[in-house]
Amino acid sequence: MQYRQLGDSGIEVSAICLGSWLTYGVGVDDSAGRACVDAAFDAGINFIDTSNVYGRGAAESFLGDVLKARSRDSYVLATKLFFPMSDSDRGLSRAQIEKQIDASLTRLQTDYVDLYQCHRYDPDTPLEETMAALSDVVRSGKARAIGFSEWSPEQIEAALALAPPHVKFVSSQPQYSLIYRRAEAKVIPVSMANGIGQIVWSPLAMGVLSGKYAPGATPPAGTRAAGDDAAFMKLYMTDPVLEAVQRLRPVADKAGCSVAQLAIGWVLAQPGITSAIVGASRPEQLRETAAAADLDIDPALLAEAAAILEGVRVS
């Protein structure tokens, strides 16, 4: 497993990060979830990402129970806030930041998180209020560093202008994959210029880049596209996209890996990328994706894969 520094934070994280959206505490039973966490540690993954809103606290509570027996310095723990936790609890106001960090720490059964992230930008709260409150979270020892997810370049630059005196962001969490590359235009360049690392989500485009969905065919039973997540995947579940993904198979064969590993290997080879967040409902899924971090894929094959999908990119 590769380990990389997260921005200019001094925190070292595995190139593969275990995510918990739509899985732990909600969509996956606890025994399978525990097996996945164990498989992550066995594979050398030390980085775990969650959010207070995943299962309205259920994912954090699950991770708190699973991780409490492990040494706290053996893993890097990240969580987030912004989305509604109740009819009145949402956003990035000082009151919410102070309330939600304490609630997350209680559920996670820890004194601190390594990374506390703004899940989205809050247009209803002055940015200076948000940055001041986040800085106090760091200075109080409740978080080691702060980050954001899906902020615009202008929002990122406005936050950077407030540091100092406020604490600076060290991480960005954008959607990024061979198919979805919007962050390349501005978010990644401005981040690289300011010591901000990318922790990317959906590097497999919600599983489409695994190659398991055939064009014109009904999604296999038990897959995300056949279940409650289908609405999230409409962007990718088109015949042109699925046909292009199938053309990745010969490239993956030449690289000596699976299509999913090729897709993750491509992400990890791009400038500015620190870690790729992967989900798993079964340990064998995690073992396959984690192995992608150790592959040395010929850059020419990565370029070939990108060229195949160039015409069907959704961003």
Side-chain angles (χ1 to χ4, degrees):
M1 177 60 63
Q2 296 179 28
Y3 298 91
R4 303 175 175 185
Q5 182 168 300
L6 180 58
D8 57 11
S9 68
I11 299 172
E12 278 207 342
V13 299
S14 50
I16 300 294
C17 173
L18 178 63
S20 57
W21 180 46
L22 301 173
T23 51
Y24 310 131
V26 282
V28 176
D29 70 68
D30 284 359
S31 61
R34 286 177 179 274
C36 288
V37 173
D38 289 342
F41 278 91
D42 290 343
I45 293 172
N46 75 341
F47 193 15
I48 300 171
D49 179 79
T50 191
S51 173
N52 62 350
V53 78
Y54 296 163
R56 289 284 180 91
E60 288 183 330
S61 295
F62 167 80
L63 289 170
D65 285 338
V66 171
L67 295 172
K68 65 184 178 183
R70 295 184 181 271
S71 172
R72 182 62 184 84
D73 61 4
S74 68
Y75 58 90
V76 176
L77 186 58
T79 194
K80 317 178 196 74
L81 84 158
F82 169 76
F83 288 112
M85 290 296 285
S86 72
D87 290 341
S88 58
D89 289 311
R90 69 173 299 277
L92 302 176
S93 67
R94 172 173 285 279
Q96 280 299 301
I97 289 170
E98 292 174 350
K99 178 177 183 178
Q100 298 304 329
I101 184 62
D102 286 345
S104 288
L105 293 178
T106 297
R107 287 188 291 266
L108 290 165
Q109 301 185 46
T110 184
D111 295 329
Y112 69 94
V113 291
D114 297 279
L115 182 64
Y116 199 43
Q117 303 160 99
C118 302
H119 214 154
R120 293 295 186 271
Y121 185 83
D122 183 358
D124 298 323
T125 299
L127 181 58
E128 187 161 349
E129 177 182 340
T130 294
M131 298 308 296
L134 290 172
S135 297
D136 287 346
V137 169
V138 174
R139 290 168 182 146
S140 70
K142 293 180 181 180
R144 295 173 64 193
I146 55 173
F148 57 85
S149 178
E150 299 292 356
W151 282 30
S152 73
E154 295 76 19
Q155 292 162 352
I156 298 167
E157 289 172 336
L160 289 168
L162 297 175
H166 301 313
V167 172
K168 186 181 79 67
F169 284 130
V170 302
S171 71
S172 164
Q173 190 173 129
Q175 181 177 181
Y176 188 61
S177 69
L178 269 166
I179 300 178
Y180 195 98
R181 296 169 59 177
R182 183 178 182 182
E184 286 180 354
K186 294 182 179 179
V187 168
I188 292 177
V190 74
S191 295
M192 290 178 68
N194 290 280
I196 297 172
Q198 307 298 309
I199 309 161
V200 305
W201 62 275
S202 203
L204 292 178
M206 300 187 179
V208 169
L209 286 170
S210 68
K212 63 187 172 185
Y213 299 112
T218 301
T223 61
R224 293 179 67 173
D228 295 338
D229 299 344
F232 293 114
M233 301 177 64
K234 287 182 179 178
L235 199 62
Y236 304 118
M237 294 296 290
T238 67
D239 281 351
V241 170
L242 299 180
E243 288 165 1
V245 171
Q246 293 303 311
R247 296 203 301 273
L248 294 178
R249 290 191 181 279
V251 183
D253 289 343
K254 285 187 282 186
C257 64
S258 68
V259 173
Q261 289 172 330
L262 176 68
I264 292 174
W266 180 88
V267 164
L268 294 178
Q270 302 313 299
I273 306 303
T274 302
S275 187
I277 301 172
V278 301
S281 57
R282 302 187 308 276
E284 56 269 24
Q285 291 175 318
L286 193 59
R287 284 191 282 267
E288 178 188 0
T289 51
D294 295 325
L295 298 175
D296 185 16
I297 301 174
D298 186 339
L301 293 177
L302 297 178
E304 185 178 349
I308 288 171
L309 293 176
E310 181 62 32
V312 296
R313 282 169 51 180
V314 298
S315 70

